[in-house]
Amino acid sequence: MLLEDFNAVGRAEAAAALRPCLDIERWIEEIVQGRPFGSAASLLEAANRAAEPFTGQEVEAALAHHPRIGERAAGNSTEARLSQSEQAGLGTPDPAVAAAIAEGNRSYEEKFGQVFLIRAAGRSREEILAALNTRLAHTPEQEQTIIGQQLREIAVLRLEGLIGT
């Protein structure tokens, strides 16, 4: 979708376009209300601002849509296709690394009660595993800050891919 089209469509259509980037209603509404944007950069800046900070409830709702890292997102929705594409960029997994990530996912979920979330785009499986191991030592409060940052990065990258200039 071109930026000009995003600026011109109705509220419902603009919101529907944003939802696969990040399904947090407040974030979507702030961006939709901020239209029209003069440039893609100003749109991305607004998306970053709207994501600062996410509440615990917003994070919980958003995490419900994210598969475990290393696992394929189910379905054929736009959000699932975006997730599949992001994780496909990780390449073919080394069996030992894949097993370590799966075990790390289990440990993370046991400790924090939610899926491990990280922006996969631009990272290798080894980098993700290292981050997972580091984050397992965090407190829940430290993790909430990092998860919010990761959600923001994922949303902005997806939005950047959505809007052409």
Side-chain angles (χ1 to χ4, degrees):
M1 173 180 280
L2 294 175
L3 179 62
E4 295 78 21
D5 297 331
F6 178 73
N7 283 333
V9 298
R11 292 179 66 80
E13 191 175 343
L18 291 171
R19 199 164 311 287
C21 298
L22 182 63
D23 194 3
I24 292 178
E25 201 59 42
R26 178 190 56 80
W27 181 82
I28 292 168
E29 272 304 306
E30 285 187 36
I31 296 169
V32 169
Q33 286 181 324
R35 296 178 309 152
F37 294 99
S39 67
S42 65
L43 168 60
L44 297 175
E45 184 178 307
N48 268 309
R49 274 194 317 273
E52 191 60 45
F54 290 125
T55 67
Q57 194 171 30
E58 289 171 331
V59 167
E60 185 178 326
L63 287 177
H65 298 282
H66 284 272
R68 289 179 185 91
I69 197 76
E71 293 183 7
R72 183 175 170 82
N76 196 30
S77 68
T78 302
E79 187 173 12
R81 287 192 309 275
L82 288 167
S83 179
Q84 291 162 4
S85 174
E86 292 158 0
Q87 291 209 35
L90 298 173
T92 305
D94 170 284
V97 173
I101 289 173
E103 179 55 37
N105 279 334
R106 282 188 290 279
S107 297
Y108 186 94
E109 289 174 25
E110 285 174 16
K111 180 173 182 175
F112 296 109
Q114 59 196 26
V115 298
F116 171 70
L117 181 78
I118 190 167
R119 174 191 42 78
R123 290 191 165 111
S124 70
R125 288 180 191 276
E126 291 77 13
E127 289 170 320
I128 289 171
L129 178 58
L132 174 54
N133 287 329
T134 297
R135 288 172 55 187
L136 277 167
H138 290 166
T139 65
E141 294 77 22
Q142 290 170 314
E143 261 316 280
Q144 286 307 305
T145 299
I146 292 171
I147 290 168
Q149 173 192 11
Q150 294 302 302
L151 276 173
R152 184 172 42 261
E153 288 179 22
I154 291 166
V156 170
L157 279 172
R158 287 179 176 181
L159 182 56
E160 195 171 17
L162 172 72
I163 300 296
T165 53

